[in-house]
Amino acid sequence: MTVQMPISVRAFALVFTAFCLAQVAIAQTRSGPMNAKGAASAQAGDAPPAMGVVEWLQRMHTGARQRNYVGTFVVSAAGGDLSSARIWHVREGDLQIERIEALSGPPRSTFRRNHHVMTFLPEAKVVKVEKRENLDLFPNLPDKPDSSIGDFYDVRAVGKDRVAGFDADVVQLVPHDTLRFGYRIWSERRSGLVIKLQTVDGDSRVVEQSAFSELQLDAPVKAQALAQMMTNTSGYRIEKLELERTSAQDEGWVLKTPVAGFKPRSFYRRPAGGDKTGQDRTVQWTFSDGLASVSLFIERYDEKRAPRDGVLTIGATNAIRRRLPEPASDWWLTAVGEVPQQTLNAFAQSLARTR
C-alpha cells in the first residue's frame, strides 16, 4: 500500500541497482518495530461510517489530493530502524505540488508538480528529473477505483482514535488470500487523509507502520513558493530519466498464469548502460491490485557483473532477484513490491519469454 512518501522502489533507474536502491529508499521512508496495540487503543464506542472497501479507499484517495497540509511523517519497520521526512502538499485548482524533505539518512529533497518529479541530491549535486503517471499518493488507486478490489479485501470498522491531535476513523482491510498484506488505517475524520497506517502480515504482526507525528491541515503554503524551489537547479547537474512506453507483447514477455487480483498498469523500457540501439533493454512491468504494487525489472544477463540470486526484505517491501530459466536464461529478473515474498515468486514463476 502506498503512502505519501518518496517510495523510490517505484523510481528504479536501472534494474541491476534495484536491491541497492531499495535499501536506500527504505532507509529514507521506512523503519522500526511497532506495537500492534496502537490499533487496539481505538475507541469502539464511536464507530466509523458504514462504507464498503471502494468507498473508503476513494475517500482516502480524495483526502490525499484535496487538502493542503504540512507535517512530519515517521516510518518504522520490524527491523528496528526509524526514519522521517517533512512533507508540504498544496493543491491550487488542477495543480498539485509537493515537497518531501528527508530528515534522516542522506540529504534528499523530492518535488512533484502534477506528473513531473525532481529529486535533489545535495551531496552529489545532482537533480534527477522524471515524469510519473502515478503520483504514488495513498491509496494507489486510479481515478475511478476498480470495483474488483472488494473481491480481494474486506473492510472492518475498528473504532476511533487520535493521531497527531486529530480525530481519526480506524478501519482494517483484511485480505482474502495470502498474496497480499492486510492494513490498519487511521483516516482523519473530516478530510479522509490517511494519518497513520500499519501493514500487517498473515500472522497479524505489524511489519511496518507510518504515521504523522505532527500535522497542520489547511496550512498556508503557496504553490508558487514550492514551484520556485523546484526550479532552482543552479549548481546542480540535471539527469533526465527517459522512459519509453511500450507493451509486454511488443517486448516479448507474458505472464503464463495471472497472479490473482494484480492487473498490469504500465510497461516501460529504456536502453541500459547508455545503449541507444535498444538491443540492450531494461524494462519495467508494473502491476497493482489497487492497493499493493509489484514491479518486474527485466535486464540482459551480464557475465561481467554476474549477479547472484537473492532475496531482500525491509519492512513491508520484499524483493527477489533471479536468473530466468531456459529458454530465457540470458535474462535476469528483479521483482520488487509491498507484498509477501510468495507473491513475487508467483510472478517470477509465471514470467515467460515469447520470442
Side-chain angles (χ1 to χ4, degrees):
M1 179 170 285
T2 308
V3 294
Q4 290 244 132
M5 290 290 285
I7 309 296
S8 61
V9 161
R10 299 169 184 81
F12 284 129
L14 296 174
V15 175
F16 67 85
T17 61
F19 270 48
C20 296
L21 289 180
Q23 294 180 23
V24 172
I26 304 306
Q28 284 190 333
T29 63
R30 306 210 150 115
S31 342
M34 193 56 51
N35 193 331
K37 292 181 180 179
S41 68
Q43 303 168 25
D46 191 355
M51 294 190 292
V53 174
V54 175
E55 293 173 296
W56 270 110
L57 295 178
Q58 185 61 63
R59 171 174 162 78
M60 298 168 188
H61 188 266
T62 301
R65 287 162 167 73
Q66 300 298 324
R67 301 295 289 271
N68 293 359
Y69 57 87
V70 178
T72 301
F73 202 73
V74 180
V75 188
S76 56
D81 297 327
L82 187 70
S83 59
S84 60
R86 187 73 173 166
I87 301 176
W88 295 257
H89 180 268
V90 180
R91 177 182 181 270
E92 290 186 1
D94 294 333
L95 173 65
Q96 290 196 61
I97 189 165
E98 186 175 78
R99 174 190 174 193
I100 303 172
E101 188 81 21
L103 301 180
S104 52
R108 183 186 187 102
S109 298
T110 300
F111 291 85
R112 294 190 283 202
R113 178 172 180 157
N114 290 345
H115 297 302
H116 296 278
V117 180
M118 298 178 68
T119 301
F120 289 73
L121 305 174
E123 293 181 340
K125 292 297 181 182
V126 169
V127 179
K128 295 184 179 293
V129 180
E130 61 183 304
K131 184 178 180 179
R132 298 186 198 172
E133 294 183 2
N134 185 343
L135 290 181
D136 292 343
L137 297 174
F138 175 87
N140 186 17
L141 292 171
D143 291 337
K144 295 181 180 179
D146 190 337
S147 60
S148 67
I149 294 175
D151 295 336
F152 301 96
Y153 296 90
D154 287 328
V155 62
R156 299 175 184 172
V158 176
K160 75 172 186 177
D161 202 358
R162 278 176 60 79
V163 177
F166 290 89
D167 291 330
D169 293 316
V170 187
V171 296
Q172 186 158 351
L173 300 186
V174 182
H176 292 181
D177 55 35
T178 59
L179 293 174
R180 57 209 94 229
F181 290 124
Y183 305 95
R184 296 189 191 102
I185 307 169
W186 285 250
S187 173
E188 200 272 323
R189 289 209 130 184
R190 292 183 303 156
S191 66
L193 178 69
V194 174
I195 54 180
K196 181 176 176 180
L197 168 71
Q198 291 179 342
T199 304
V200 183
D201 67 13
D203 295 321
S204 298
R205 295 175 300 195
V206 177
V207 296
E208 183 171 289
Q209 173 165 288
S210 311
F212 281 102
S213 62
E214 174 269 330
L215 176 64
Q216 302 173 53
L217 279 178
D218 301 320
V221 182
K222 299 298 183 182
Q224 182 179 1
L226 294 184
Q228 289 176 344
M229 297 175 67
M230 184 175 182
T231 57
N232 184 15
T233 59
S234 177
Y236 283 81
R237 183 179 78 256
I238 297 177
E239 296 182 357
K240 292 186 177 181
L241 178 59
E242 301 291 346
L243 296 177
E244 178 183 353
R245 179 178 284 278
T246 180
S247 69
Q249 180 179 359
D250 290 344
E251 296 300 317
W253 295 102
V254 67
L255 282 186
K256 295 178 295 184
T257 304
V259 180
F262 287 90
K263 299 181 179 181
R265 297 298 189 196
S266 62
F267 199 108
Y268 291 100
R269 74 179 179 194
R270 59 165 290 173
D275 174 36
K276 303 301 182 183
T277 67
Q279 298 301 311
D280 189 16
R281 287 189 277 264
T282 297
V283 299
Q284 178 186 356
W285 197 0
T286 303
F287 298 80
S288 175
D289 69 354
L291 295 178
S293 295
V294 172
S295 286
L296 307 181
F297 297 88
I298 310 167
E299 62 170 328
R300 286 281 187 180
Y301 173 65
D302 185 347
E303 291 185 359
K304 295 179 180 179
R305 291 188 291 109
R308 295 178 296 176
D309 290 11
V311 298
L312 174 70
T313 298
I314 302 178
T317 299
N318 281 288
I320 63 171
R321 185 181 180 89
R322 64 184 56 170
R323 189 175 184 178
L324 295 175
E326 293 286 356
S329 58
D330 54 347
W331 295 89
W332 278 88
L333 168 68
T334 303
V336 184
E338 294 177 313
V339 294
Q341 187 175 321
Q342 70 183 76
T343 309
L344 300 181
N345 289 333
F347 275 99
Q349 292 165 8
S350 182
L351 183 65
R353 189 78 175 145
T354 59
R355 64 170 186 253

